[in-house]
Amino acid sequence: MYHSTQTVIHEALKKLNFGDQMYELLKEPLRFLEVRIPVKMDDGTVKVFTGYRSQHNDSVGPTKGGIRFHPEVNEAEVKALSIWMSLKCGITNLPFGGGKGGIICDPREMSGRELECLSRGYVRAISQIVGPCKDIPAPDVYTNSQIMAWMVDEYSHLREFDSPGFITGKPLVLGGSKGRETATAHGVAIVIEEAAKKKGINLKDARVVIQGFGNAGSYLAKFMHDAGAKVVGVSDVLGAITDPNGLDIDYLLDCRDSFGTFSSLFSNTISNKELLELDCDILVPAAISNQITEENAYDIKALIVVEAANGPTTLEATKILNDRGVFLVPDILSNAGGVTVSYFEWVQNNQSYYWTEEEVDNKLKKIMVDSFENVYRISKIHQVDMRLAAYMVGIKKLAEASCFRGWA
Ligand code: NAD
């Protein structure tokens, strides 16, 4: 992921006529911190967890990005994810650079008390480099509003004043924003609508397949269902289910647990691999990275692939899909709704003035539609695919800001 990201950044900067000095500056995060967090476990032993925080570039403003709790978190992934956050903020024109954090752990195996100690310990460990005007975290895979609540509480204790702008994705009563919970899925749904228009597909007749049924995937399934589309396949980490006549999404939403798992309740499941190759119009990988590769790119039947997950398609597979005429909308554009409403939350915290859900939704829609149109326009002008076009739009602002600051 990390090297592929650097490759595309290099290409984007060349297309924009920036030289090698700019690539040297932007190819890696400006700051990267590794921390170790001791936690007293319920059985009385002390376990030491490794965590990271990466800050890619703060030339346009503070850095911003989620915190992931997952057994496979690693340095290269966190660095790549922080670069993608920079690109997303550039595409949506938010006044942020990219940040990202992660802890190597499996929250599914931990009690609530252990998770709280880990969350608070992480904030203490990174407190010197984060803050409302420095770097603002948020939820990501296997972290949620409860974890954000423990983190903002710990940070406020450390600073000795209430600091809601330290983190986003908080519960509403602690200064969260209306619409944040569903923001990523909402943004993906808006992008799907725009992509479908370009391809002449009527959403009401469309068959949609979604891999992953967590925060992004499950709410997206609901948005698609409510828009009249048929959701013909969904999956979780254990397996997938399909129904060519359309699945009962409301029932599945009731069944899923807080980690987005539901398939253990069904006997006639298919594999995640089979799910990706189902006959459909729109495929949305909304789980983890590296799902569409050289191995299966030729077998994808969808006409449109919209990446809700970060990095679900390799660069080799991107080329295959593009050559086959599949319209691929890249992650840094399609899942930017999450950071956009996180930005709204931060603005509301800074002003102590809170918006209605309608205001949030309308502002989100405008940003997502404008961002999609801008990337699409650049792809046509420069005759490049949507991924390279998105990188060009995303990196331009950072490069220009860095020039003005005399950094490159
Ligand atoms: P989540 O933890 O809520 O849900 C993840 C889902 O993926 C679950 O259904 C899980 O069972 C499934 N899954 C996990 N491992 C899998 C595997 N190996 N194969 C198939 N399915 C698997 O996570 P989320 O917040 O919905 O995030 C999903 C993706 O979207 C991630 O790539 C994340 O970085 C990206 N994303 C999320 C947000 C957000 O606001 N939630 C914003 C931007 C990007």
Side-chain angles (χ1 to χ4, degrees), residues 68 70 81 88 100 108 139-142 180 184 211-217 235-238 258-261 272 286-289 291 308-310 335 338:
R68 180 173 288 202
H70 199 275
L81 287 164
K88 287 180 208 189
K100 202 78 185 189
R108 292 165 298 187
D140 192 70
V141 173
Y142 292 164
R180 174 62 185 89
T184 300
Q211 184 194 35
F213 209 66
N215 175 279
S235 78
D236 62 23
V237 63
L238 303 172
S258 63
F259 295 107
T261 317
N272 265 283
I288 53 162
S289 55
Q291 296 303 290
N310 284 311
N335 69 27

Side-chain angles (χ1 to χ4, degrees), residues 53-58 61-65 96-99 134-136:
R53 187 74 196 167
S54 174
Q55 298 171 346
H56 173 236
N57 185 291
D58 53 7
T63 47
K64 171 121 198 59
F96 293 133
K134 285 187 188 172
D135 180 18
I136 305 120

Side-chain angles (χ1 to χ4, degrees), residues 314-328:
T314 63
L315 282 191
E316 296 78 14
T318 298
K319 183 165 183 334
I320 296 170
L321 293 179
N322 285 328
D323 289 349
R324 291 183 50 223
V326 177
F327 188 44
L328 174 69

Side-chain angles (χ1 to χ4, degrees), residues 2 27-32 54-57 79 82-83:
Y2 193 30
K27 71 177 186 186
E28 282 172 27
L30 288 178
R31 189 178 294 111
F32 184 80
S54 174
Q55 298 171 346
H56 173 236
N57 185 291
K79 284 182 173 173
S82 71
I83 297 178

